[in-house]
Amino acid sequence: MTMKLAENIYENVDQIPTRFGYGDGLLKLGEMDERVVVLGADLSSSLRVDLFRDAYPDRFIQTGIAEQDMMCLAAGLSLAGKIPFVSTYGVFCTGRAWDQLRTTVAYGNLNVKVGSGHGGISVGADGATHQALEDIAITRVIPGVTVIVPCDYHETVKATIAAAQIEGPVVIRFGREKVPVITTPETPFQVGKAEIYREGEDVTVVACGVMVYEALIAAELLAQEGISAQVINCHTVKPIDKETLIKAAQKTKAVVTAEEHQVMGGFGSAVAEVLSQNVPVPMRFVGVQDTFGQSGDPDVLMKAYGLKAENIVQAAKEVIKIKRGG
């Protein structure tokens, strides 16, 4: 590993939902900047924005289940000099209110932040209607929108605080279930800068969100077979860190991407857009393969949809075989 990560990430790692990081990040922001305003759509406790509501009730607005109106209200607040954080599930704030995000917010480059919760298949029992699997694709395509997918609790806190420092629309994607805490408060985080969490020579695994942990586990499994895997946490999907990705591809000449999202148009596609134009190398995409999710236990769903370390291991072996002329 090239930087300070949590201890025992391959053994007894703590687990905390990333949505807790969003709530705690907002609470810190409330103290840091009085311009910060939070808007909720009847999901305050689920997204942990009730912490901000209770601490700063005069800076919290409950819009009810009216996500499109909430996005427009946030746009107006930004024009009044506030820094509004729109907070609801990803299928609603990036799906139902996509037109408002695109035209009302992004077209004018308004300073609106979007807390996009319940990202990915691991939402679990809520099922396909609430599992945001297309949100990275439909937000990164909007001009001027920054898209961040933090890997754990600490990184979500940092991403939330950093979003307030960026002028313009920002989407922060986080999940519902507990996920391994692999970073620390001291682990470097900079919007637009990917971080190398493990060096390797044979293959590069580029991941975002909870798949960073799965990538690290996969690298350990590969090491047991004599395969050296580099692991990169590319938390900022847009603007993506082209320099780090290009250098990684030049080094290992084989790349696997991993995301808790549809493989078409998502994070893997963003990486491929960079590499195909600069360093074309064999690639494989670990993610949801053009299908809707379903209700179930989060870990069972992750396995059923091929989002575990063993799937990354298989993909890594495939690209290495292609690289070597197999």
Side-chain angles (χ1 to χ4, degrees):
M1 288 176 288
T2 60
M3 61 180 55
K4 181 170 181 168
L5 297 182
E7 296 182 0
N8 301 318
I9 60 172
Y10 302 110
E11 299 171 7
N12 300 316
V13 61
D14 292 333
Q15 296 200 16
I16 305 175
T18 47
R19 60 191 172 100
F20 282 36
Y22 180 67
D24 289 348
L26 287 177
L27 195 59
K28 291 181 180 181
L29 272 177
E31 182 179 357
M32 294 166 58
D33 195 330
E34 63 181 12
R35 295 175 299 166
V36 172
V37 178
V38 176
L39 295 85
D42 205 29
L43 296 168
S44 300
S45 60
S46 183
L47 270 68
R48 302 289 287 181
V49 298
D50 53 345
L51 302 175
F52 187 97
R53 177 199 65 197
D54 295 344
Y56 306 100
D58 58 333
R59 287 193 271 153
F60 179 82
I61 301 173
Q62 176 61 264
T63 67
I65 306 175
E67 295 85 2
Q68 294 163 325
D69 290 341
M70 179 172 62
M71 194 70 72
C72 292
L73 177 57
L77 288 167
S78 72
L79 290 171
K82 304 298 182 182
I83 304 177
F85 279 75
V86 171
S87 310
T88 186
Y89 294 169
V91 290
F92 303 139
C93 62
T94 69
R96 183 174 296 166
W98 187 85
D99 176 50
Q100 287 70 29
L101 174 60
R102 175 191 180 272
T103 306
T104 307
V105 172
Y107 183 61
N109 193 38
L110 301 186
N111 199 28
V112 174
K113 320 304 171 185
V114 179
S116 180
H118 272 47
I121 202 81
S122 61
V123 170
D126 284 2
T129 58
H130 285 57
Q131 292 163 336
L133 294 175
E134 307 82 17
D135 51 316
I136 294 175
I138 63 176
T139 54
R140 79 178 185 91
V141 75
I142 303 175
V145 175
T146 296
V147 181
I148 309 172
V149 187
C151 70
D152 68 359
Y153 165 82
H154 292 303
E155 197 162 81
T156 309
V157 173
K158 296 171 189 175
T160 304
I161 294 173
Q165 316 305 319
I166 298 171
E167 186 65 31
V170 180
V171 175
I172 309 165
R173 185 196 204 232
F174 50 90
R176 172 186 179 182
E177 298 302 314
K178 292 181 179 180
V179 297
V181 179
I182 60 176
T183 70
T184 74
E186 290 74 39
T187 303
F189 173 85
Q190 179 183 337
V191 175
K193 179 70 173 71
E195 299 289 353
I196 299 173
Y197 279 4
R198 180 169 176 143
E199 291 287 0
E201 303 294 331
D202 297 323
V203 62
T204 297
V205 182
V206 191
C208 64
V210 68
M211 297 304 290
V212 175
Y213 172 74
E214 296 295 337
L216 287 167
I217 298 299
E220 190 72 4
L221 295 173
L222 287 165
Q224 295 172 15
E225 299 185 42
I227 299 173
S228 174
Q230 180 183 47
V231 177
I232 297 177
N233 173 14
C234 191
H235 47 69
T236 307
V237 179
K238 184 185 176 185
I240 202 162
D241 186 351
K242 296 180 181 179
E243 181 179 357
T244 297
L245 294 176
I246 291 171
K247 286 181 178 179
Q250 289 172 334
K251 177 183 179 181
T252 66
K253 298 179 175 57
V255 173
V256 173
T257 64
E259 61 192 303
E260 191 189 356
H261 182 274
Q262 300 283 0
V263 293
M264 290 189 293
F267 170 70
S269 295
V271 175
E273 287 165 12
V274 174
L275 299 185
S276 64
Q277 298 179 80
N278 294 279
V279 191
V281 297
M283 291 188 68
R284 285 291 184 269
F285 307 90
V286 175
V288 178
Q289 303 292 328
D290 193 27
T291 182
F292 286 105
Q294 59 184 308
S295 298
D297 176 83
D299 192 59
V300 171
L301 291 174
M302 292 287 283
K303 291 177 180 176
Y305 286 84
L307 304 176
K308 299 296 287 184
E310 53 263 32
N311 305 109
I312 298 174
V313 167
Q314 180 59 38
K317 291 178 179 179
E318 290 176 6
V319 291
I320 291 172
K321 183 177 180 181
I322 296 171
K323 177 179 73 169
R324 293 174 177 172

